[in-house]
Amino acid sequence: MAMCGIIGYVGWRRSAQVLMEGLERLEYRGYDSAGLAWFEGDRVQRVRAVGNLASLRTALHDKRRLSSAALAERRLAGNPTGGATATLERQLGIGHTRWATHGAVTERNAHPHVDARGRVWIVLNGIIENHLELRARLARRGIACDSETDAEVVAQMLGLMYTGDLAQTVAETMHLFQGQYALVAMASEEPDLLVAVRQGAPLTIGIGQGEQFIASSIAAFLPHTREVAVPQDGEIAVLRADEVVLLDAAGEAHPPSVTSAGWDPERIEKDGYETFMLKEIHEQGAAVRATVQSAMAQIQDAARTVLSTQRIAALERVIVVACGTSYHAGLAGKLALERWARVPVEVDVASEFRYRDPILNQNTLVVAITQSGETADTLAAMRLARAHGAPVLVITNAPGSQATRDADGVLFTQAGIEMGVAATKTFVAQVAMLYMVALQVATVRRRLPSEMVGWLAEELQSLGDRIDELIATVDEPVATLARDLAGSQFFLYLGRLTGLPVALEGALKLKEISYVPTDAYAAGEMKHGPIALLSPQTPVICVATEVNVLPKLLANMAEVKARHAQVLAVAAEGFTEVNEYADHVVYVPRTDPLLEVLLAIVPLQLFAYHLARARSLSVDQPRNLAKTVTVE
Ligand code: AGP
């Protein structure tokens, strides 16, 4: 698994600065080293650094100091321009944040990489699966790599094949590279262009006025342009300051098809919040409102394809595939589809599904959930489903993403860009969209009285406002509790039915950003093993949102108390019995238990957030994690 960010720029601004700022906006994807290469006059300069972007800035600063000293020396020697004036206006470069896969986290392994003759420079995101074979091939030609990375192998191979025409070289060489990747290249001898190609990894072009951008995510260049184009897999993108051209497999050139990105630049700033994650937790009400509001029109659209009346009537089974938080949203979706629409639902993590030889047919609807739309395992699961004749509906937050191209139908959550690595607002938006789908299926299959559908739809519409109110009331007490418990070594989360996805997601949030070990269980399972973990030092967080199983959950809480463990609970308003067993209770508004998932998760996100902050951790970019996991 790996996640890097790549960026390229050609235009009139100071390229090193544009690249640096772009990398800062890609930081959320996760990285452990970073680098830049750019033209300064006729020469290509490179800086690389291990650690965060502050280290890269320092390296850039030092490099600049050295090159101004060199320029001054050349002036003293009677060459006032230092030989650079003729090309001063050239602004071109590439940048990279690296999340190590092949080779340790060292400066030498950081990108950009260059071939042995110093002609071709590249940054690469993804994995080249046959890099060992290519490395051996290079060795036979007497070319030794300087780093342990698969990316350098690509740079060396391109350098070896370089004809003086970078676009042609990339076109003729890329068949050698097996795997899923995206790369941006530049050549010392062609200082006016960037060449890029993607093969299953994200890459988006930003079209500006006399300048062009290319990056793994729109976020990298959104303050400069919202006009974007996405090359197809295998298409070669050639970017010059005044023009972008795409070359198809036959070498035919055509202009890119440009669309306008809907995300506002200011929305990706922090708006006064101390972190993106906190801002995004506060945006959850809006995310649910916007998603619910847009859902009906989108579902009507999908009624022409995957959600047609005939298909819904013929449905035998739904299989939800997803990873991580999106998988937890899928668990809530399953309960809704089964309760409201009486359709059998399986939920599987995409990385298991893709290898388990699943039983599929045209009456199985596969619902893929992925906020990024680029998660490799989820994309592979979707491909597998389609290959077996099952229609695929994707729920995603990312317009233009690979998943939108690979699905038979698409529903967009309206959460806006999420910068924090830990998913929050995209989770609630996914759950809201799944509920809207479940209501539609229930309506078409006549499994719920229309008054009930109406009531649930109204409740869903008002949920956004209730989330806003809930955050305002619980933030402070939850923060105090989190600070008090910041020294705990382990947390156990328990829930039943609709409380279970909440417990699982709450536990994932805490471990992701605070690095405190957590486990989450269906509460009834506790006595079958996890009870052994309990001691007076173990806080146990119970989610009590289902009236049917409330007495059962209370019994589980009593078992926890009997082991002198501390009980914290999130309960639906009115469940006052919970007070008897819990040391602390956070109440959330009472509605349908399925809808309470969207409320009960909020205090647990805030708890994880404040606990991580109390431990002085960087919540927006937790260690080892990446926002978008585009390789397996
Ligand atoms: C969420 O906090 C995680 N960082 C992670 O589990 C994430 O949900 C998972 O990688 C799936 O991502 P996707 O929704 O973009 O497919």
Side-chain angles (χ1 to χ4, degrees):
M1 136 166 151
M3 219 25 23
C4 308
I6 58 180
I7 180 169
Y9 174 74
V10 50
W12 45 268
R13 296 171 210 257
R14 294 189 65 154
S15 55
Q17 197 52 32
V18 174
L19 295 169
M20 194 69 220
E21 287 164 8
L23 290 181
E24 278 161 1
R25 284 186 291 271
L26 292 176
E27 258 192 314
Y28 72 99
R29 295 167 70 86
Y31 68 105
D32 41 37
S33 58
L36 304 177
W38 72 101
F39 275 87
E40 210 166 84
D42 289 336
R43 300 170 200 201
V44 177
Q45 303 284 357
R46 172 172 65 175
V47 287
R48 297 181 290 178
V50 167
N52 59 22
L53 289 179
S55 318
L56 186 66
R57 263 204 189 279
T58 309
L60 179 62
H61 183 75
D62 293 348
K63 183 91 174 184
R64 284 226 173 105
R65 225 163 4 100
L66 286 178
S67 53
S68 2
L71 186 65
E73 256 177 47
R74 285 201 290 278
R75 280 195 183 127
L76 276 176
N79 176 0
T81 67
T85 7
T87 51
L88 262 184
E89 69 281 8
R90 266 176 217 152
Q91 292 296 344
L92 180 93
I94 54 182
H96 189 264
T97 46
R98 171 171 188 253
W99 197 91
T101 52
H102 295 80
V105 183
T106 61
E107 196 178 313
R108 186 170 283 209
N109 284 338
H111 302 214
H113 288 290
V114 60
D115 73 300
R117 289 182 291 173
R119 300 171 87 196
V120 178
W121 300 75
I122 71 144
V123 285
L124 180 133
N125 171 18
I127 285 184
I128 304 298
E129 285 159 2
N130 60 335
H131 70 106
L132 289 176
E133 179 201 322
L134 295 174
R135 192 177 280 264
R137 211 156 140 179
L138 287 164
R140 287 197 291 279
R141 304 285 296 260
I143 299 169
C145 289
D146 186 46
S147 74
E148 301 153 280
T149 63
D150 52 347
E152 190 194 339
V153 172
V154 172
Q156 296 289 8
M157 220 62 213
L158 290 173
L160 183 67
M161 311 298 270
Y162 186 54
T163 53
D165 179 337
L166 186 60
Q168 189 189 27
T169 305
V170 172
E172 287 172 359
T173 313
M174 59 174 290
H175 70 277
L176 296 175
F177 310 134
Q178 289 166 14
Q180 289 184 312
Y181 63 88
L183 72 85
V184 184
M186 60 185 200
S188 317
E189 292 160 35
E190 297 172 82
D192 61 337
L193 60 85
L194 294 173
V195 175
V197 68
R198 67 193 287 262
Q199 202 61 263
L203 198 60
T204 304
I205 301 168
I207 316 273
Q209 301 288 324
E211 60 181 348
Q212 321 293 347
F213 306 78
I214 189 156
S216 315
S217 163
I218 301 174
F221 53 73
L222 210 46
H224 302 299
T225 178
R226 294 166 73 175
E227 302 301 296
V228 299
V230 180
Q232 298 291 315
D233 273 352
E235 260 180 353
I236 312 283
V238 183
L239 283 75
R240 289 187 170 81
D242 53 0
E243 181 194 42
V244 175
V245 165
L246 298 175
L247 305 174
D248 63 20
E252 293 294 321
H254 59 93
S257 90
V258 181
T259 54
S260 210
W263 291 336
D264 285 338
E266 59 270 25
R267 289 192 63 192
I268 65 167
E269 299 306 331
K270 288 186 194 141
D271 276 355
Y273 287 98
E274 57 187 14
T275 61
F276 281 115
M277 184 176 172
L278 190 60
K279 172 178 173 251
E280 287 155 6
I281 289 174
H282 280 81
E283 286 172 345
Q284 294 189 107
V288 168
R289 271 191 297 274
T291 301
V292 171
Q293 226 166 55
S294 76
M296 252 357 266
Q298 294 195 62
I299 288 171
Q300 290 315 326
D301 222 35
R304 285 189 266 131
T305 55
V306 273
L307 292 181
S308 67
T309 307
Q310 296 87 315
R311 278 190 192 267
I312 291 179
L315 253 190
E316 288 166 13
R317 208 159 47 112
V318 171
I319 302 185
V320 178
V321 290
C323 305
T325 291
S326 300
Y327 168 76
H328 297 153
L331 294 175
K334 168 189 164 84
L335 293 172
L337 277 159
E338 290 190 346
R339 273 188 201 178
W340 295 341
R342 305 305 297 154
V343 180
V345 183
E346 269 176 53
V347 190
D348 207 351
V349 284
S351 53
E352 287 291 296
F353 176 85
R354 63 183 288 193
Y355 292 115
R356 80 167 155 93
D357 197 8
I359 300 161
L360 296 159
N361 65 27
Q362 59 183 19
N363 294 331
T364 308
L365 174 66
V366 171
V367 179
I369 311 174
T370 166
Q371 62 80 23
S372 64
E374 303 284 356
T375 300
D377 283 318
T378 307
L379 294 177
M382 291 169 63
R383 279 194 290 273
L384 178 80
R386 290 185 87 195
H388 283 74
V392 173
L393 170 70
V394 71
I395 296 181
T396 184
N397 197 45
S401 59
Q402 188 63 40
T404 62
R405 289 191 285 274
D406 291 353
D408 298 292
V410 183
L411 296 175
F412 289 106
T413 49
Q414 305 293 321
I417 193 164
E418 187 174 69
M419 301 292 279
V421 166
T424 52
K425 61 176 179 170
T426 52
F427 171 75
V428 289
Q430 288 167 342
V431 175
M433 184 57 91
L434 281 160
Y435 287 175
M436 292 300 285
V437 172
L439 284 183
Q440 173 71 2
V441 177
T443 306
V444 172
R445 290 170 77 105
R446 304 210 173 126
R447 292 303 187 144
L448 270 187
S450 55
E451 307 76 57
M452 184 67 180
V453 173
W455 179 76
L456 286 167
E458 268 171 36
E459 284 291 284
L460 262 170
Q461 270 153 24
S462 69
L463 264 188
D465 294 349
R466 292 200 214 176
I467 293 173
D468 289 343
E469 287 156 24
L470 179 65
I471 295 173
T473 30
V474 301
D475 188 34
E476 206 32 59
V478 169
T480 309
L481 195 58
R483 283 192 281 268
D484 290 348
L485 292 169
S488 303
Q489 304 294 310
F490 171 73
F491 287 81
L492 182 64
Y493 287 69
L494 300 174
R496 299 184 87 123
L497 303 180
T498 49
L500 184 56
V502 178
L504 287 161
E505 177 57 11
L508 178 67
K509 285 288 89 76
L510 186 61
K511 71 169 74 116
E512 274 186 310
I513 60 170
S514 73
Y515 318 142
V516 179
T518 65
D519 212 341
Y521 266 88
E525 275 289 287
M526 185 181 65
K527 58 172 82 63
H528 301 289
I531 198 164
L533 296 168
L534 301 186
S535 78
Q537 283 72 49
T538 320
V540 179
I541 300 185
C542 300
V543 184
T545 46
E546 281 270 353
V547 74
N548 299 344
V549 288
L550 185 62
K552 308 283 173 201
L553 190 79
L554 293 173
N556 299 136
M557 289 165 72
E559 287 157 5
V560 173
K561 274 262 73 94
R563 272 81 199 168
H564 306 292
Q566 198 176 157
V567 180
L568 318 172
V570 176
E573 252 162 31
F575 290 7
T576 44
E577 310 90 306
V578 174
N579 275 322
E580 284 173 38
Y581 302 93
D583 300 286
H584 300 274
V585 189
V586 176
Y587 284 102
V588 300
R590 181 93 186 265
T591 167
D592 179 274
L594 277 158
L595 273 44
E596 284 165 14
V597 168
L598 294 165
L599 298 162
I601 191 57
V602 170
L604 298 188
Q605 294 165 336
L606 287 167
F607 182 75
Y609 178 81
H610 290 297
L611 196 139
R613 293 293 288 170
R615 290 181 156 225
S616 309
L617 295 168
S618 141
V619 295
D620 284 339
Q621 286 112 32
R623 72 180 179 209
N624 303 337
L625 284 177
K627 184 70 185 163
T628 313
V629 183
T630 56
V631 287
E632 189 175 355

